Amino acid sequence: QVQLVESGGGLVQAGGSLRLSCAASRNIAVSKYMGWYRQAPGKQRELVAYIPRGGVANYADSVKGRFTISRDNAKNTVYLQMNSLKPEDAANYYCNIRYDLGASPGDYWGRGTQVTVSS
């Protein structure tokens, strides 16, 4: 099993910034896919940003130019830098990492970190 722990959420004013972190218990350098999703109350979970193995970062249209996904393989951590936050960005944010190699292949999720944006 792989554990993912998100952190960095909180309350921020519109226009502000937050950096979310997702610490994995397994080497992320061998992952197939790393992504951030979010879910607001009463809404479906939606993809925010992801990085496929050997590929480039991809973003939902709603966050392009404002959010940046990145990784630190040495720390086994995935980040989501969120700038120019809007009230509609408020949600619970989840980290997702997929492995297809090694001893623990699977699709892993963290428990989420709450982001609240005040107008």
Side-chain angles (χ1 to χ4, degrees), residues 3-4 8 21 40 43-46 51 79 83 97 100 116:
Q3 283 74 49
L4 305 181
S21 300
K43 295 187 177 181
Q44 290 188 330
R45 188 172 296 190
E46 64 174 353
I51 305 176
Y79 301 99
N83 298 329
I97 301 181
D100 59 349
T116 304

Side-chain angles (χ1 to χ4, degrees), residues 38-93:
R38 67 186 181 188
Q39 187 169 19
K43 295 187 177 181
Q44 290 188 330
R45 188 172 296 190
E46 64 174 353
L47 176 64
V48 176
Y50 71 94
I51 305 176
R53 179 188 294 144
V56 298
N58 293 268
Y59 300 92
D61 287 343
S62 59
V63 307
K64 279 181 182 176
R66 300 188 297 122
F67 289 12
T68 304
I69 186 172
S70 62
R71 62 197 293 172
D72 185 334
N73 290 345
K75 295 182 178 180
N76 289 327
T77 299
V78 184
Y79 301 99
L80 184 68
Q81 178 67 44
M82 306 186 296
N83 298 329
S84 301
L85 281 161
K86 304 176 181 180
E88 52 263 43
D89 294 319
N92 208 15
Y93 282 71

Side-chain angles (χ1 to χ4, degrees), residues 12-51:
V12 64
Q13 286 188 331
S17 299
L18 285 173
R19 189 177 78 156
L20 306 184
S21 300
C22 171
S25 62
R26 187 182 170 191
N27 183 5
I28 65 171
V30 300
S31 66
K32 176 182 179 181
Y33 168 102
M34 299 182 296
W36 284 96
Y37 293 73
R38 67 186 181 188
Q39 187 169 19
K43 295 187 177 181
Q44 290 188 330
R45 188 172 296 190
E46 64 174 353
L47 176 64
V48 176
Y50 71 94
I51 305 176

